[in-house]
Amino acid sequence: MALVTDEISAAPKRYGIEFTASASEYFSIWIVNLFLTIITLGIYAAWAKVRTRRYIWANTSLAGHPFTFHGRPAAILKGNLIIAGMFLIYVATKKFEPVIAGALFVIFGFIFPFLVYKSLRFNAHNTSYRNIRFRFLGRLRESYETYLLFAGIIPCTLFVFFPAWQFYKKRFFFNNLAYGATQSSFSGRKGPFYRAYFFASITGIASFMFLSWAGSYWFHRLSMSWGATPGTFNLIYTFFFSSLLAAVILYTVQAVIYSITMNHCWSQTRFGNLQFRSTLTTRHLLFIRITNIAAIIFSLGLLVPWAKIRRLKYILENLSIVSTQDLSTFNGSPGSELSALGDAATDFIGIEIGL
Amino acid sequence: MIYFTADYFDGKTSRAYPVRVAFDGIALVISDNMQDNFYNAQYSSIEIDPALGRTKRSIRLPNGSLLQTNDLEAVNALETATGINRSWNWVHYLETRWRAVVVCMFLIVAALFGLIYYAIPYAANYAAQTIPLQVTSSASKQALRMFDQRFFRPSGLNAGRKQEITSLFGRTISRIDPAYVNNYTIVFRKGMSLGANAFALPSGIVVVTDELIALSDNDDELTAIFAHEINHVKRRHALRSILQSTGVFFLVTLLTGDVTSIANLASFLPALLIENGYSRDFERQADHEAGSLLIGLGKGTGPFQNILQKIDSSHPQTLKLGVFSTHPETVKRIEYLKKLDLASKKQDQSSHGRLPLKNDLCYNGWIPDPWIL
């Protein structure tokens, strides 16, 4: 096959992502959002989410131009109400009519892939760069395969299939995006996912052994110096220490998995002649996570916005774009209107897709 | 006239065209660098994304194109001149004034207190009164089965003693909840590792252990325990507790909805503390009602204090968890009962010794603690 290259665009050019959000500015947006959300008993949450997302996207820029979020609050409100309604019915029946609650849970399992599908479409369609909208072209069928069929067979394979499932979820996302008329392609493999989970388990076990040793040593020292006081101190200390231990191990494992899989996924994704580089490291992710949690706890939550901006800044500024095509030559494509149902749903459940 | 420079994106390609925009009071007149006017848009047909921090402003034009500009002042002037976003800019006004933000912070704290102390308990109480008690019956039976499998052995009491206690229980119900006598049943079990204990399941099943009966010296002490448990059922504490936890969960979701992953650890603890606080309120309410009943019978709260003390000392491993506990400390419960006694003596002898409850919206953990009532 003959290689046809445009002389002008042949030299690959690298563009970094710049994240300019300020913690103090975001703090005031966050406080006002919280206040209005609480006094409206949650109704304002949809508007709050739009403002937050608009702020984040508007401060994320590539080659001098920001991303723009276009989601409509009314659509998100509709999704929020449906999800809240389902949740309330579930809670109301859970304690007293476990059969109905169980049935609801199963029904939800069948709706979930649909919500993920809708959510991905909503988010992509409502994000633009230089007035060209993103799109998500994944099929509903693939969503059901990934989130119902594959998720369902994991326990049957004694969780050996789990990393592969994570891979299929990422592939569903990265392989089905489009920036205007330019579709993405994804050439990721399962190998790095298995490697990530293998490293994560090793790290998890090692940090568990080290931290338990360190913890029991310090506990011994403490109880010697305070005089042996079984009872309250003992129990509360044990409770706090074991949750701290669990949290640190969990964060370590998550940092390992996130850095390896995200770097891999971005590096294997391309939009035509445009490619990505992600240079996250486990060490930095873990450091940011642990210091963020500590800051949030010691500031009684006031540093939540600062922590969020800090983490996003690290992740986004480690992502760069390498393109042989001039960024101003991408073509748009006519889009279609979408509902926000899925968008709210995935946020409510707290699943993380994409970034 | 308002003038500003902007980037123009036509929506067909990702190319940015640097343009000059002029607003003459009717239309946005857009010209390129060569001063050639290539597009005009009536102001009534444009949309401006509301101001947000110091981010670039976006203006959507009717032909699907977009203007983005750093000239925040010019867009503000444009909004003032056209009235666009008039109903939205107050949010931005709040966000950009430190004083307003600080006021919002204080109002958030006040609103949280109001919700936690008044709105959630009040709403839960209201809802619990409208739900028929029967909805809890299958869950209660299941809970009892679980306790039977895990902890209890069949009671070793003889039939005569059971009969006596059952009729004492019946008399206590008829004093507290005479209209619904048939809702209640008493169940005898050997407590084993749970020791001297009693608890009520929401449908009205009250479980007493042989150990507790052995620990009691007279019927009044048992009456006190029964009155406490019957009041849990009568006041729908179990249902209210579930509804209140749901409310707390909803509140936590509202507060942390913004940060999906970071705050999980930090939000768990406050929720636990609030729920245990509700639980202690319910215990206090049940204690109050049981104490008042004993005073009304002319016995004083002495028997109740005695049995509480005995139960406490029969559980040597009981921990003083303070704010982490679902029940108030035994010392404090006894102290409260003593106060109740004193107050009733001060009152006119003809009164029933029924004191106004400080907080009638108090609450309870429906799976009881393994220690104490």
Side-chain angles (χ1 to χ4, degrees), chain B residues 94-114:
Chain B
L94 287 182
E95 286 166 357
T96 45
R97 269 140 193 96
W98 275 104
R99 243 177 254 166
V101 171
V102 171
V103 169
C104 281
M105 274 170 69
F106 281 106
L107 289 176
I108 289 171
V109 174
L112 286 179
F113 268 95

Side-chain angles (χ1 to χ4, degrees), chain A residues 106 109-111 113 142-153 165:
Chain A
V106 172
F110 278 92
I111 300 174
E142 193 181 343
S143 187
Y144 269 93
E145 275 171 9
T146 310
Y147 287 92
L148 192 65
L149 184 67
F150 292 164
I153 61 174
W165 181 55

Side-chain angles (χ1 to χ4, degrees), chain A residues 25-26 28 30 47 51 54 65 68 70 87 91 95-96 130-131 232 235 293 308 327-330 332, chain B residues 7 9 12-14 50-52 54 60 64 66 68 88 95 135-136 138-139 246 249 258 262 320 366:
Chain A
E25 206 170 58
Y26 181 55
S28 36
W30 180 72
W47 282 262
R51 274 189 96 71
R54 270 187 58 210
H65 293 290
T68 309
H70 305 266
F87 173 74
V91 169
K95 288 271 178 172
F96 302 122
R130 301 184 179 212
N131 203 20
T232 314
L235 188 95
I293 292 283
K308 188 180 174 185
L327 289 189
S328 59
T329 60
F330 284 86
Chain B
D7 284 318
F9 300 97
K12 297 182 184 75
T13 72
S14 57
L52 186 57
R54 288 184 302 273
R60 295 152 198 275
L66 182 77
Q68 281 186 325
W88 267 107
E95 286 166 357
V135 300
T136 62
S138 74
T246 311
F249 180 87
D258 213 30
I262 323 175
K320 289 183 178 55
W366 86 291

Side-chain angles (χ1 to χ4, degrees), chain B residues 184-246:
Chain B
Y184 296 87
T185 35
I186 184 165
V187 168
F188 299 95
R189 294 287 188 270
K190 199 181 204 59
M192 309 307 286
S193 60
L194 297 184
N197 224 318
F199 59 83
L201 295 166
S203 67
I205 303 171
V206 174
V207 184
V208 249
T209 66
D210 294 359
E211 291 88 337
L212 180 68
I213 289 164
L215 208 59
S216 66
D217 291 322
N218 52 53
D219 283 359
D220 295 335
E221 294 185 358
L222 285 179
T223 304
I225 301 284
F226 293 157
H228 176 99
E229 299 306 335
I230 291 165
N231 271 303
H232 276 324
V233 178
K234 183 190 170 192
R235 301 281 172 188
R236 308 276 170 104
H237 285 168
L239 257 179
R240 282 158 68 183
S241 124
I242 291 165
L243 294 168
Q244 289 180 178
S245 322
T246 311

Side-chain angles (χ1 to χ4, degrees), chain A residues 22 24-39 41-42 44-45 47 51-52 54-55 58-59 64-70 72 84 87-88 91 95-98 128-133 179 231-232 235-236 239-240 243 247 251 289 292-293 296-297 302 304 307-308 311 326-333 347-348 350 352, chain B residues 7 9-16 47 49-58 60 64-66 68 88 90-92 94-96 98 100-102 104-105 107-108 111-112 115 134-139 142 202 238-239 242 246 249-251 253-266 268-269 272 319-322 324 366-367:
Chain A
S22 101
S24 69
E25 206 170 58
Y26 181 55
F27 177 81
S28 36
I29 293 170
W30 180 72
I31 286 285
V32 173
N33 276 346
L34 271 188
F35 170 64
L36 294 174
T37 302
I38 289 174
I39 62 161
L41 296 177
Y44 188 79
W47 282 262
R51 274 189 96 71
T52 305
R54 270 187 58 210
Y55 183 75
N59 279 296
H65 293 290
F67 289 80
T68 309
F69 182 68
H70 305 266
R72 302 280 167 170
F87 173 74
L88 283 179
V91 169
K95 288 271 178 172
F96 302 122
E97 294 296 340
S128 75
Y129 174 64
R130 301 184 179 212
N131 203 20
I132 302 287
R133 299 241 182 172
Y179 173 57
T232 314
L235 188 95
I236 291 178
F239 173 75
F240 274 113
S243 17
Y251 298 152
R289 192 71 180 278
N292 273 356
I293 292 283
I296 289 171
I297 291 173
L302 287 179
V304 163
K308 188 180 174 185
R311 180 176 155 84
D326 191 314
L327 289 189
S328 59
T329 60
F330 284 86
N331 289 319
S333 149
D347 216 53
F348 204 92
E352 284 198 340
Chain B
D7 284 318
F9 300 97
D10 60 13
K12 297 182 184 75
T13 72
S14 57
R15 180 147 179 203
E47 266 181 76
D49 284 2
L52 186 57
R54 288 184 302 273
T55 58
K56 278 188 180 176
R57 301 298 304 266
S58 297
R60 295 152 198 275
S65 60
L66 182 77
Q68 281 186 325
W88 267 107
W90 59 273
V91 178
H92 184 243
L94 287 182
E95 286 166 357
T96 45
W98 275 104
V101 171
V102 171
C104 281
M105 274 170 69
L107 289 176
I108 289 171
L112 286 179
L115 284 170
Q134 280 71 27
V135 300
T136 62
S137 68
S138 74
Q142 215 174 343
L239 257 179
I242 291 165
T246 311
F249 180 87
F250 184 67
L251 197 62
T253 309
L254 284 189
L255 287 175
T256 60
D258 213 30
V259 270
T260 46
S261 52
I262 323 175
N264 284 346
L265 182 75
F268 164 74
L269 203 58
L272 181 79
L319 302 168
K320 289 183 178 55
L321 291 171
F324 291 98
W366 86 291
I367 294 296

Side-chain angles (χ1 to χ4, degrees), chain A residues 148-261:
Chain A
L148 192 65
L149 184 67
F150 292 164
I153 61 174
I154 291 169
C156 312
T157 62
L158 297 171
F159 292 91
V160 172
F161 187 66
F162 189 79
W165 181 55
Q166 296 296 327
F167 165 77
Y168 287 123
K169 288 202 293 188
K170 291 282 187 277
R171 190 182 69 177
F172 183 52
F173 176 75
F174 284 101
N175 199 31
N176 290 307
L177 285 172
Y179 173 57
T182 315
Q183 291 189 24
S184 70
S185 63
F186 180 64
S187 53
R189 285 161 293 113
K190 280 177 223 157
F193 281 77
Y194 275 97
R195 210 179 314 139
Y197 280 85
F198 177 72
F199 276 131
S201 345
I202 299 282
T203 323
I205 292 164
S207 50
F208 175 74
M209 294 201 317
F210 172 73
L211 291 170
S212 335
W213 170 79
S216 50
Y217 174 76
W218 281 107
F219 182 42
H220 180 70
R221 289 278 297 267
L222 265 174
S223 54
M224 293 304 279
S225 60
W226 289 28
T229 49
T232 314
F233 173 72
N234 200 329
L235 188 95
I236 291 178
Y237 181 88
T238 312
F239 173 75
F240 274 113
F241 182 74
S242 39
S243 17
L244 202 68
L245 181 78
V248 171
I249 293 169
L250 182 71
Y251 298 152
T252 313
V253 166
Q254 283 177 344
V256 171
I257 293 169
Y258 191 89
S259 59
I260 297 179
T261 58

